[in-house]
Amino acid sequence: MDWYQPFGTTASPPWTVRTGLSYAGLSVLALAPGGSATIDTGEQEMLVLPLAGAAHVECGGQRYELAGRADVFAGRSDFAYLPRRSSATVGSAAGGRFAVAAGPCERDLPFRYGPAGQVPVELRGAGRCSRQVNNLASADGFECDRLIVVEVLTPDGNWSSYPPHKHDEHSADESELEELYYFEIGGDGAGYHRVYGTGQRPIDVLAEVRTGDVVLVPYGWHGPSMAAPGYPMYYLNVMAGPRPERAWRIRDDPAHAWIRSTWDGAPIDGRLPMGDTEGAS
């Protein structure tokens, strides 16, 4: 398996990304004006999220209009939840790009709409480790069966997903979750992402990432995600695992866990929040 997957290497039009691990999956749909595509969910639940542009989503005789956004740095977006064992159509009058996050499920939840204004915004870290998390479908937020979906915005020059952490064991300290990182970089730039493992479960990734690239994290320590000066970074995280508990518990790499203590009393980067966050909860 190639843990780093450059833009366009996993799919063909109208899809630019079609990838996944045993539990966490992601596709990205690029529609021309007036275009549409059909999605069959099978045994998975899915989240349809506009990255750029607006769309309508039809499923089971219902239809939701997604206002979307100009791009991932412009602000939060609304989204739609697709149940398992259903067929949905995604269409766009003006065209755009739309992420489809997926994970296996055991409950039949309804087709639903998630308003942009109700997406909680969380600021994490401090100083050059400051970043913003838009909790679209966090473990304690918008209801899914197992799927967890969040997006992270990192000002240029900052590090996020830091200190390195993991969540690949089932314990009081960790949730067993696979994770996918889908990247977009402002200004046609590049960033960097690191994944590393243990002697028992080795993995070694240090990738230069550009818009449309994906890094798969089946296990192991991951981070930092580094935004180069001049180029802000966005990534979409999709997480899912084998256990019915929907939780996100992480363990920092003990060699670097001390970093968190340096944030006490330090200011968050003044460039945050990024985009339109008016009315965020």
PDB file of all heavy atoms in Angstrom, residues 19 63 120 165:
ATOM      1  N   THR A  19     -10.179   6.389  -2.359  1.00  0.00           N
ATOM      2  CA  THR A  19      -9.177   5.666  -1.577  1.00  0.00           C
ATOM      3  C   THR A  19      -9.765   5.258  -0.233  1.00  0.00           C
ATOM      4  O   THR A  19     -10.882   5.648   0.119  1.00  0.00           O
ATOM      5  CB  THR A  19      -7.924   6.534  -1.384  1.00  0.00           C
ATOM      6  OG1 THR A  19      -6.873   5.736  -0.835  1.00  0.00           O
ATOM      7  CG2 THR A  19      -8.192   7.724  -0.468  1.00  0.00           C
ATOM      8  N   ARG A  63     -34.542  15.960  -0.904  1.00  0.00           N
ATOM      9  CA  ARG A  63     -33.490  16.742  -1.553  1.00  0.00           C
ATOM     10  C   ARG A  63     -33.026  17.854  -0.609  1.00  0.00           C
ATOM     11  O   ARG A  63     -33.841  18.533   0.013  1.00  0.00           O
ATOM     12  CB  ARG A  63     -34.014  17.352  -2.854  1.00  0.00           C
ATOM     13  CG  ARG A  63     -33.039  18.321  -3.544  1.00  0.00           C
ATOM     14  CD  ARG A  63     -33.604  18.781  -4.856  1.00  0.00           C
ATOM     15  NE  ARG A  63     -32.849  19.882  -5.446  1.00  0.00           N
ATOM     16  CZ  ARG A  63     -32.474  19.942  -6.716  1.00  0.00           C
ATOM     17  NH1 ARG A  63     -32.790  18.958  -7.540  1.00  0.00           N
ATOM     18  NH2 ARG A  63     -31.810  20.993  -7.176  1.00  0.00           N
ATOM     19  N   PRO A 120     -19.300  23.443  15.018  1.00  0.00           N
ATOM     20  CA  PRO A 120     -18.485  24.058  16.066  1.00  0.00           C
ATOM     21  C   PRO A 120     -17.061  24.311  15.570  1.00  0.00           C
ATOM     22  O   PRO A 120     -16.471  23.488  14.870  1.00  0.00           O
ATOM     23  CB  PRO A 120     -18.495  23.023  17.191  1.00  0.00           C
ATOM     24  CG  PRO A 120     -19.658  22.128  16.896  1.00  0.00           C
ATOM     25  CD  PRO A 120     -19.779  22.099  15.403  1.00  0.00           C
ATOM     26  N   HIS A 165       0.931  12.076  17.647  1.00  0.00           N
ATOM     27  CA  HIS A 165       0.031  11.299  18.494  1.00  0.00           C
ATOM     28  C   HIS A 165      -0.454  10.079  17.717  1.00  0.00           C
ATOM     29  O   HIS A 165      -0.243   9.977  16.506  1.00  0.00           O
ATOM     30  CB  HIS A 165      -1.161  12.157  18.921  1.00  0.00           C
ATOM     31  CG  HIS A 165      -1.925  12.706  17.765  1.00  0.00           C
ATOM     32  ND1 HIS A 165      -1.515  13.809  17.048  1.00  0.00           N
ATOM     33  CD2 HIS A 165      -3.066  12.282  17.164  1.00  0.00           C
ATOM     34  CE1 HIS A 165      -2.367  14.044  16.063  1.00  0.00           C
ATOM     35  NE2 HIS A 165      -3.307  13.135  16.103  1.00  0.00           N
TER      36      HIS A 165
END
